[in-house]
Amino acid sequence: MWEPDTKKRCQTNEHHQQQQQQQQQQKPNNPTGPFLQCFELILPWLTPIELANISLTSKSLNQLSKSTTLRRSSDASRSFENLPIPFHNTIDDHPYAHFIYTPSQIFPSSSSSQPQRQSWGSLDFSSSASRLGVEPVSLVDELGHSVSGCDCERCDDEDPDGCPCFSEMDELDMANECGPSCGCGLECENRLTQRGVSLRLKIVRDGRKGWGLYADQFIEKAQFVCEYAGELLTTKEATNRQQMYDKLASDGRFSSALLVLREHLPSGKACMRINIDATRMGNVARFINHSCDGGNLVTKLVRSSGALVPRICFFASRDIKENEELAFSYGEVRLRSNGLQCFCGSSSCFGTLPSENT
Ligand SMILES: C[S@@+](CC[C@H](N)C(=O)[O-])C[C@H]1O[C@@H](n2cnc3c(N)ncnc32)[C@H](O)[C@@H]1O
């Protein structure tokens, strides 16, 4: 399941090559010797606490730890995305938030194939991006052949009738894209949400809400912003985790990122529920805060032809200015004695954050 899928993105990542060159130039002239060179390889695998502890042991390791921290804070996506997504903090001493980056949906961490650690902040910018990847879970027939994709070599959004994937709409009004069982590649025009983040974004620290995701450029209404990537959970697992997170959050220092999306069939008879937990493993969408007025993003379910589970994607609900915080509504507010205080600042603020009933 952890096959790298990032080759194509890396090929176009000119900025990372430039960063790499810059880093090479910035490397201290002072040769560190085999001992410190070894630490250059180890430090990117450490948690912030381990990094802080090791930095206390010698001046050289302190220097190396500082460089690792600097590189981490310069790109939360650790080269998985097309552009770096930096952390900005002018209010306290948190340089970055630590988590495992996955550019797309993955299956729960109970599986032993999932990494407990991920390299982040090494001199080699391409190394982390090649370590984690996801193969979409696809529908197969009884002979093991993928089903329901198109045979197009290249699908053209100017001619949507030419490709069956454009027109496949189901009762849930999901957007449909070409997928794992189609003949076309990642450059196909009907794979808008599969190429990762292509807009300039940044993660900014706020005194009351923690980190938040901001636009670092103008974003036009209806533009695709990012997918909500993380661990795809069963409802039972999501309920258990939410209970654990509620307990941890009660002291105000823990921030979870479990998103539950319910999509009702127009008939009202059934409901589809998708639980994605980006708390431990996720992408930049885990930093999007709640706004009681609905914010400037909308979620849409996108199914790739032949893939088993739809993905949750964010689109701009209106034009968004550079430096504006990105936000959406986490859902209906239910009155709970232990609800977290909301600081969205909108005129329609309820005062409490929406939360799942557990
Ligand atoms: C998905 S995370 C968003 C990123 C988070 N701020 C962080 O620092 O990682 C959700 C958490 O962010 C905080 N949060 C989100 N929106 C908020 C708001 N409007 N007011 C206060 N806290 C908010 C809450 O702690 C919530 O549990």
Side-chain angles (χ1 to χ4, degrees):
M1 194 193 283
W2 295 104
E3 281 292 301
D5 74 339
T6 47
K7 242 184 222 161
K8 292 187 187 93
R9 272 188 219 160
C10 290
Q11 281 164 0
T12 55
N13 267 353
E14 272 173 34
H15 90 91
H16 289 305
Q17 283 164 10
Q18 283 165 6
Q19 274 178 320
Q20 239 173 311
Q21 280 165 6
Q22 275 171 13
Q23 291 297 335
Q24 292 298 342
Q25 285 159 9
Q26 285 165 12
K27 245 183 170 176
N29 307 335
N30 172 20
T32 50
F35 175 71
L36 288 183
Q37 276 170 10
C38 196
F39 272 99
E40 276 189 354
L41 296 174
I42 294 169
L43 296 192
W45 292 91
L46 303 185
T47 64
I49 292 174
E50 291 164 343
L51 201 58
N53 285 339
I54 224 163
S55 74
L56 299 175
T57 57
S58 78
K59 244 184 173 177
S60 323
L61 283 179
N62 185 285
Q63 253 341 90
L64 282 184
S65 306
K66 275 189 183 152
S67 316
T68 307
T69 299
L70 208 65
R71 285 191 291 270
R72 285 184 178 180
S73 57
S74 71
D75 184 11
S77 92
R78 40 216 95 165
S79 305
F80 279 109
E81 306 294 359
N82 302 303
L83 298 163
I85 304 167
F87 289 94
H88 288 271
N89 185 357
T90 53
I91 58 157
D92 60 29
D93 57 1
H94 286 81
Y96 59 85
H98 194 251
F99 60 104
I100 292 178
Y101 202 92
T102 174
S104 39
Q105 209 177 69
I106 48 175
F107 287 82
S109 52
S110 50
S111 149
S112 57
S113 62
Q114 291 195 8
Q116 298 302 311
R117 288 179 186 264
Q118 181 180 45
S119 172
W120 185 21
S122 70
L123 279 170
D124 177 6
F125 276 84
S126 60
S127 63
S128 56
S130 61
R131 281 201 181 90
L132 190 71
V134 195
E135 252 182 26
V137 177
S138 57
L139 294 174
V140 289
D141 65 17
E142 58 283 1
L143 295 173
H145 299 131
S146 294
V147 292
S148 77
C150 67
D151 296 326
C152 321
E153 261 175 39
R154 201 183 166 89
C155 316
D156 184 356
D157 59 1
E158 304 265 296
D159 174 28
D161 295 338
C163 169
C165 297
F166 276 107
S167 50
E168 277 173 21
M169 264 300 181
D170 56 18
E171 231 197 319
L172 287 169
D173 197 23
M174 259 183 250
N176 209 78
E177 293 188 351
C178 293
S181 52
C182 296
C184 51
L186 205 58
E187 69 289 345
C188 160
E189 289 184 19
N190 192 24
R191 289 179 187 259
L192 173 70
T193 66
Q194 296 171 43
R195 290 187 278 264
V197 178
S198 302
L199 298 169
R200 291 211 165 269
L201 304 175
K202 58 187 174 187
I203 301 158
V204 180
R205 185 96 178 147
D206 175 85
R208 298 188 296 185
K209 294 186 282 185
W211 298 104
L213 190 64
Y214 281 65
D216 206 13
Q217 65 165 78
F218 172 75
I219 302 176
E220 211 174 286
K221 181 178 174 174
Q223 245 183 302
F224 167 65
V225 177
C226 60
E227 176 181 340
Y228 195 90
E231 297 174 85
L232 187 68
L233 304 183
T234 61
T235 295
K236 189 164 176 252
E237 177 67 10
T239 308
N240 290 342
R241 287 203 193 179
Q242 189 62 59
Q243 279 168 350
M244 180 176 78
Y245 294 155
D246 283 348
K247 275 194 203 127
L248 289 169
S250 56
D251 74 355
R253 281 185 300 162
F254 178 80
S255 161
S256 62
L258 202 167
L259 179 67
V260 177
L261 200 94
R262 292 182 184 79
E263 202 72 20
H264 293 273
L265 293 175
S267 58
K269 284 196 182 126
C271 166
M272 176 182 203
R273 178 176 159 141
I274 298 180
N275 312 293
I276 298 193
D277 189 2
T279 310
R280 200 177 80 84
M281 292 185 185
N283 69 344
V284 287
R286 74 191 290 289
F287 295 108
I288 305 176
N289 286 323
H290 160 83
S291 182
C292 294
D293 67 3
N296 45 22
L297 299 177
V298 279
T299 53
K300 199 171 179 106
L301 283 178
V302 180
R303 188 193 290 280
S304 309
S305 296
L308 200 53
V309 190
R311 292 170 297 111
I312 302 174
C313 295
F314 288 105
F315 292 82
S317 60
R318 57 168 170 77
D319 286 352
I320 300 171
K321 293 193 209 96
E322 185 176 342
N323 293 325
E324 226 187 285
E325 180 172 4
L326 302 178
F328 73 111
S329 168
Y330 285 6
E332 266 172 51
V333 173
R334 294 188 188 89
L335 284 180
R336 297 180 348 148
S337 54
N338 59 348
L340 294 175
Q341 205 177 342
C342 178
F343 296 109
C344 73
S346 76
S347 53
S348 49
C349 181
F350 291 106
T352 310
L353 279 185
S355 168
E356 270 303 300
N357 253 347
T358 52

